[in-house]
Amino acid sequence: MRCISLFLLLLACYFTVSASQQRSAASKGIEELTDIKDFKKLLRTKNNILVLFISSLKAGDTTVRIFKDAASTVRGQGTMVLVDCSGEGKKMCKKLKVSPEPITLKHYKNGEFHKDYDRKMTVQSMVSFMKDPSGDAPWEEDDTATDVKHLESPESLVRLIKKETRPLLVLFYAPWCGFCKQLKPHYADAARELKDEAVMAAIDVDRPENNVVRHQFNISAFPTLLYFKNGRMQFAYEGANKKNDLVAFMRDPSESARKEREKPKEEPWSATPSDVVHLTADDFDSFIQEEQTVLVMFYAPWCGHCKRMKPDYEKAARMMVDQKIPGKLAAVDATVEQSLAKKFKVQGYPTVKLFHEGQFKFDANVRDVERIITLMKDPTKPPPVPEEEKPWSAVPSEVIHLTTESYKQILKKKRHALVMYYAPWCGHCKNLKPHYQDAAQVFEDEPQVTFAALDCTEHGEVCKFAGVSGYPTLKYYHYYNKGQSDYNGGRTKEDLVKFMRNPPEVAKDEL
């Protein structure tokens, strides 16, 4: 009887501790699941889920602590789930074909598996990932950019400008900006060389919370680099976006500025003969009233986007004359005609506005000849905004997208992996993508076969290490360093599937 009583007491203690652990987990924003039915229910009700599978509580102890801290921060923005594959969750792990060694992190989006977690195992990285699981890793997580002073908020920017006594260069950028991506490695290299002499800072002004910075410093094009000294902005950096040029500028900005001032001044656009009508505050209203339809481009002479648009704008104006299309294309230098820019709330360059029958109608998102001509032929409605091409990693598929951090970590665990090294601008890569994705889909339920991809414009050092000299380059890996070979076969879905059904001799005994 006493044994039974002792057993009941121990059992009660077990459930008390268990309940306490569950409450502790819940208080941290984590859900602990053991049943596949509960997991499927969660997939139906939540659209942003990160699941940590662990081989045992002891083996995953460090990651679990990080996971819990991240969960408490992202509560309300995402769901964090813990599954212990050594306990009651063993059957669930088996059904999901997950074998953590010792941990596996998987993300589920809108009811379906999205991707393996491929960021750093830190609280900050997990929180950042859960806020935007389809986006690229923030620049501050790049190990090669640790000497860049990454600013998170307007407050941190103001503090740095006020307190920093050394020369300071601030890069205002947007993650999607192609020119910014090209500049980043050079900027980071310059920061590394100058770390004892100057400060190279950067702030992502595409984040909504940093919008005020964008307006305060009139950031209308990316990238924009501003030089500060003794708490004041001196001038914009307009030199080449290469490491050596940045270093030279920071070591002698006054000399660079002097040379810039000594350069022959660029002729104003209005002095260049074309069919574009250049308006001022004196003749703007009368011209708008006289013409049936006027498309007006508000620009700044130093604006790179404006310079790139000018040839198309002039060509469209010429075509309108030749084809007798009604209406006029006009331009206003907003840095000179500031009253007009203020009147029409111009906040960035170029800003294009359509006027019809003497009245402003709408802003027009047109920058190329074809869209300008289409609009002027039918000025009654704004043209649709062109969709920006999504990065391949944001397109749902069975392809695993590698990064500098996850490259070796993932490939070392893959028995048969085919990796496509590519560049987003590469035409041959674009042609191969659908075939590559279709082939990956064939092996959806075969975890031993993996199709992966690596963007060499983002992770150039890895591609260089892998010996990639052209795009696309395909390489086969067997547990990464146990076997490698180049793939030189056909580029259709059938060719890729056939190769992965019978990979190189090194792995035949594994099939």
Side-chain angles (χ1 to χ4, degrees):
M1 189 69 180
R2 288 177 61 188
C3 291
I4 295 175
S5 298
L6 182 58
F7 172 76
L8 292 175
L9 180 61
L10 291 171
L11 193 62
C13 289
Y14 169 81
F15 283 116
T16 300
V17 171
S18 178
S20 174
Q21 288 175 338
Q22 289 177 354
R23 283 194 299 273
S24 174
S27 69
K28 289 287 188 180
I30 288 181
E31 294 198 35
E32 295 188 22
L33 296 182
T34 58
D35 193 297
I36 189 69
K37 291 181 180 177
D38 293 335
F39 180 63
K40 289 181 177 179
K41 182 180 178 180
L42 195 66
L43 290 179
R44 292 194 297 270
T45 56
K46 305 290 184 180
N47 58 12
N48 182 20
I49 305 170
L50 185 63
V51 185
L52 171 60
F53 298 91
I54 55 176
S55 59
S56 69
L57 285 171
K58 185 178 180 181
D61 184 53
T62 302
T63 308
V64 170
R65 286 200 300 271
I66 295 170
F67 197 69
K68 286 181 178 180
D69 290 341
S72 64
T73 304
V74 301
R75 191 183 305 170
Q77 296 175 294
T79 304
M80 312 278 276
V81 177
L82 177 64
V83 179
D84 181 0
C85 294
S86 66
E88 295 180 12
K90 190 172 183 178
K91 288 184 179 179
M92 178 177 165
C93 295
K94 188 175 181 180
K95 286 187 177 181
L96 292 173
K97 299 179 180 178
V98 177
S99 302
E101 297 177 358
I103 63 113
T104 295
L105 272 161
K106 291 184 175 289
H107 184 258
Y108 296 81
K109 183 178 178 183
N110 299 325
E112 296 180 351
F113 171 71
H114 173 222
K115 63 188 293 188
D116 287 322
Y117 177 80
D118 54 3
R119 304 279 183 86
K120 292 183 177 180
M121 291 297 176
T122 65
V123 173
Q124 183 180 356
S125 295
M126 285 187 187
V127 170
S128 172
F129 175 82
M130 289 300 283
K131 287 182 178 179
D132 185 14
S134 297
D136 296 330
W139 190 20
E140 55 264 29
E141 292 187 25
D142 187 344
D143 290 336
T144 65
T146 53
D147 293 304
V148 175
K149 178 73 174 178
H150 297 281
L151 304 170
E152 297 182 354
S153 65
E155 294 78 16
S156 60
L157 173 61
V158 171
R159 282 196 301 270
L160 181 65
I161 293 172
K162 285 183 177 180
K163 294 182 179 180
E164 188 53 62
T165 57
R166 292 173 293 174
L168 168 65
L169 190 66
V170 181
L171 165 60
F172 299 84
Y173 72 95
W176 46 261
C177 160
F179 293 105
C180 303
K181 291 178 181 179
Q182 293 172 20
L183 167 62
K184 283 177 179 178
H186 297 281
Y187 197 80
D189 288 344
R192 191 175 305 113
E193 184 165 329
L194 293 164
K195 62 183 178 181
D196 297 325
E197 307 171 45
V199 176
M200 308 283 281
I203 183 167
D204 176 359
V205 289
D206 196 49
R207 294 176 182 172
E209 61 268 28
N210 292 338
N211 219 15
V212 63
V213 173
R214 200 165 171 173
H215 291 297
Q216 182 181 356
F217 291 98
N218 195 26
I219 308 300
S220 57
F222 302 113
T224 291
L225 295 95
L226 300 181
Y227 176 77
F228 296 82
K229 187 72 182 289
N230 298 325
R232 300 186 60 141
M233 199 275 277
Q234 304 293 315
F235 37 73
Y237 172 77
E238 296 181 352
N241 292 339
K242 300 295 182 182
K243 173 205 165 186
N244 290 340
D245 297 287
L246 291 162
V247 170
F249 170 82
M250 293 302 287
R251 284 178 173 160
D252 192 357
S254 60
E255 178 67 12
S256 299
R258 184 184 65 77
K259 287 181 179 179
E260 187 66 29
R261 286 194 296 270
E262 288 176 356
K263 286 182 180 178
K265 287 191 176 180
E266 187 178 346
E267 264 196 337
W269 186 12
S270 56
T272 305
S274 75
D275 294 291
V276 174
V277 180
H278 291 271
L279 302 176
T280 67
D282 295 332
D283 58 9
F284 186 90
D285 290 337
S286 59
F287 187 82
I288 295 297
Q289 294 298 324
E290 290 169 5
E291 297 291 336
Q292 178 77 359
T293 305
V294 184
L295 190 65
V296 182
M297 172 183 168
F298 292 85
Y299 71 96
W302 46 260
C303 162
H305 294 292
C306 305
K307 290 177 180 179
R308 285 188 286 274
M309 179 178 170
K310 277 165 62 176
D312 276 44
Y313 203 64
E314 291 179 342
K315 185 177 179 181
R318 178 74 259 167
M319 287 176 63
M320 288 179 63
V321 173
D322 293 341
Q323 298 177 21
K324 296 182 170 53
I325 299 171
K328 295 287 184 180
L329 300 190
V332 172
D333 183 343
T335 64
V336 175
E337 307 299 334
Q338 295 182 17
S339 61
L340 287 176
K342 185 176 180 181
K343 178 180 178 180
F344 293 105
K345 300 178 181 178
V346 175
Q347 296 181 334
Y349 311 115
T351 292
V352 184
K353 295 179 178 286
L354 186 115
F355 297 81
H356 186 65
E357 296 180 344
Q359 300 292 324
F360 166 68
K361 292 300 179 182
F362 49 77
D363 288 329
N365 188 5
V366 291
R367 294 196 181 183
D368 59 79
V369 174
E370 184 179 350
R371 287 172 61 79
I372 292 169
I373 294 297
T374 299
L375 173 62
M376 295 306 284
K377 284 181 177 179
D378 182 13
T380 58
K381 58 182 179 179
V385 177
E387 289 187 16
E388 290 188 12
E389 185 178 355
K390 288 183 178 179
W392 189 13
S393 57
V395 179
S397 76
E398 295 300 319
V399 175
I400 295 176
H401 290 273
L402 306 174
T403 66
T404 301
E405 293 78 18
S406 68
Y407 178 76
K408 287 186 180 179
Q409 179 185 356
I410 289 176
L411 292 183
K412 283 180 179 178
K413 297 178 180 178
K414 302 301 179 181
R415 184 176 296 176
H416 307 300
L418 190 64
V419 179
M420 173 178 165
Y421 299 87
Y422 73 97
W425 46 260
C426 160
H428 294 296
C429 304
K430 291 179 181 179
N431 293 335
L432 175 57
K433 278 181 189 177
H435 301 286
Y436 198 74
Q437 290 179 166
D438 290 345
Q441 188 70 39
V442 172
F443 296 94
E444 177 185 8
D445 296 322
E446 299 181 41
Q448 66 175 351
V449 179
T450 300
F451 282 72
L454 186 75
D455 181 349
C456 289
T457 64
E458 290 284 339
H459 309 284
E461 287 301 315
V462 178
C463 297
K464 184 178 179 181
F465 175 77
V468 175
S469 57
Y471 310 120
T473 291
L474 287 90
K475 291 179 177 285
Y476 166 82
Y477 296 89
H478 172 62
Y479 293 122
Y480 182 63
N481 53 9
K482 290 186 179 180
Q484 299 182 21
S485 65
D486 292 334
Y487 173 80
N488 296 309
R491 300 293 174 90
T492 67
K493 167 191 169 184
E494 291 72 23
D495 294 322
L496 296 165
V497 170
K498 183 179 179 182
F499 175 83
M500 293 303 276
R501 289 282 186 216
N502 186 29
E505 193 71 27
V506 66
K508 278 189 175 179
D509 61 336
E510 299 278 357
L511 289 172

